[in-house]
């Protein structure tokens, strides 16, 4: 089984590339979806957040006001670290559970879409790592247009993350999303060929069928050995 790490920066276009993987038939585990699930009302993650940040971050229906919480942590590095520390175990378990379900189904290539791939050290479990990069000017313009925020606020949100250029330097594969969507799609086709290449023997042994083959061969060897001893 091949785990492909997909990451980027805010407004870099990572979600666009994630969608391209999905439309190409490659299963994607989306950490943002997992994160939303682990903070639903009544969950362990929800209880931790309410205890740490108070009832003021709750909507009338009891769910967490994600927009308000996001504004708090983007402007306060210590509270951002606290939130990440509280939710990291829940999100990690959720991601591994989704991977396990796809493994059971026999998926050979799985894309793990994680905004904080490097920050959570989960890049150690993925190979290759794909970074969706965009130049700084385009990034801030897209963020301002998407969220309707001013330049200062947009820059503050960008600065709250690891530098995109650093992520680019750590990547195995880089998709430059600074230009047109068609250009990104063209780059994606090359990336798709790379991640869909035949599995290495180690990756094949990590797959469901590979593990079953090992179990069957081991069992057959033990039975033959036992028969010869009789």
């Amino acid at each position: 089984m091949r785990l492909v790490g997909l990451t980027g920066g805010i407004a870099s276009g990572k979600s666009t590339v994630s969608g391209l993987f999905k439309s190409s038939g490659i299963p994607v585990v989306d950490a943002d979806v997992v994160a939303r699930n682990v903070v639903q009302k009544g969950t362990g993650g929800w209880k931790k957040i309410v205890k740490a940040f108070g009832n003021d971050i709750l909507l009338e229906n009891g769910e967490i006001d994600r927009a308000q919480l996001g504004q708090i942590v983007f402007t306060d590095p210590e509270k951002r670290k606290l939130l990440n520390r509280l939710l990291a175990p829940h999100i990690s378990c959720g991601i591994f559970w989704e991977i396990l379900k796809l493994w059971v189904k026999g998926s050979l290539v799985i894309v793990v879409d994680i905004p904080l791939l490097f920050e959570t050290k989960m890049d150690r479990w993925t190979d290759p790592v794909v970074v969706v990069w965009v130049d700084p000017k385009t990034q801030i313009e897209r963020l301002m247009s998407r969220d309707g925020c001013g330049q200062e606020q947009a820059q503050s949100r960008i600065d709250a993350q690891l530098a995109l250029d650093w992520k680019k330097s750590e990547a195995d594969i880089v998709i430059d999303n600074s230009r047109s969507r068609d250009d990104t799609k063209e780059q994606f086709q090359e990336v798709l060929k790379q991640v869909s290449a035949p599995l290495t023997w180690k990756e094949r042994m990590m797959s469901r069928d590979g593990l079953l083959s090992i179990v069957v061969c081991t069992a057959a060897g033990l039975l033959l050995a036992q028969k010869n001893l009789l």
Side-chain angles (χ1 to χ4, degrees):
M1 181 180 67
R2 177 175 296 152
L3 286 179
V4 179
L6 176 65
T7 192
I10 189 169
S12 70
K14 177 181 60 63
S15 296
T16 297
V17 175
S18 182
L20 291 174
F21 274 115
K22 293 174 185 175
S23 63
S24 299
I26 305 291
V28 176
V29 175
D30 190 333
D32 283 339
V33 174
V34 173
R36 284 195 291 270
N37 291 336
V38 302
V39 297
Q40 288 183 343
K41 184 179 178 180
T43 62
W46 179 89
K47 292 175 182 177
K48 286 183 178 179
I49 291 177
V50 173
K51 183 178 180 180
F53 292 89
N55 291 326
D56 290 342
I57 60 162
L58 296 178
L59 298 168
E60 291 184 2
N61 62 3
E63 295 289 352
I64 290 173
D65 187 337
R66 293 171 59 84
Q68 183 182 351
L69 181 60
Q71 187 173 6
I72 291 171
V73 299
F74 267 119
T75 56
D76 190 327
E78 291 305 314
K79 289 184 178 179
R80 184 166 63 250
K81 290 178 183 177
L82 172 62
L83 180 64
N84 290 336
R85 188 166 63 250
L86 292 175
L87 295 185
H90 298 278
I91 295 174
S92 296
C93 287
I95 289 172
F96 283 120
W97 176 245
E98 294 300 320
I99 291 173
L100 179 60
K101 289 192 289 186
L102 290 169
W103 180 86
V104 170
K105 291 180 180 179
S107 298
L108 297 178
V109 179
I110 301 171
V111 172
V112 188
D113 178 351
I114 307 179
L116 301 179
L117 183 73
F118 293 108
E119 293 89 333
T120 56
K121 311 297 183 185
M122 292 194 71
D123 57 300
R124 295 178 294 183
W125 304 99
T126 59
D127 185 21
V129 171
V130 180
V131 169
V132 183
W133 181 87
V134 67
D135 68 76
K137 181 175 181 293
T138 303
Q139 183 182 22
I140 196 167
E141 288 175 350
R142 287 178 180 172
L143 181 56
M144 291 168 62
S145 175
R146 188 191 74 182
D147 293 358
C149 57
Q151 183 172 349
E152 185 177 346
Q153 184 182 3
Q155 189 63 58
S156 176
R157 295 177 68 184
I158 292 172
D159 292 342
Q161 300 183 334
L162 275 180
L164 193 50
D165 281 342
W166 182 87
K167 293 183 180 182
K168 178 182 178 182
S169 70
E170 295 295 307
D172 299 303
I173 301 172
V174 176
I175 295 179
D176 183 351
N177 191 38
S178 302
R179 296 182 288 275
S180 68
R181 188 178 180 87
D182 286 341
D183 181 71
T184 299
K185 286 182 177 179
E186 187 175 337
Q187 293 178 68
F188 172 77
Q189 290 305 316
E190 292 302 314
V191 173
L192 185 61
K193 291 178 184 177
Q194 294 182 59
V195 303
S196 302
L199 301 185
T200 64
W201 68 269
K202 184 178 180 181
E203 290 172 329
R204 192 162 293 281
M205 290 302 99
M206 290 172 59
S207 69
R208 182 199 64 182
D209 294 343
L211 183 59
L212 288 175
S213 296
I214 293 174
V215 172
V216 170
C217 290
T218 302
L222 290 173
L223 289 172
L224 286 173
Q226 185 179 26
K227 183 178 180 180
N228 290 333
L229 291 173
L230 296 176

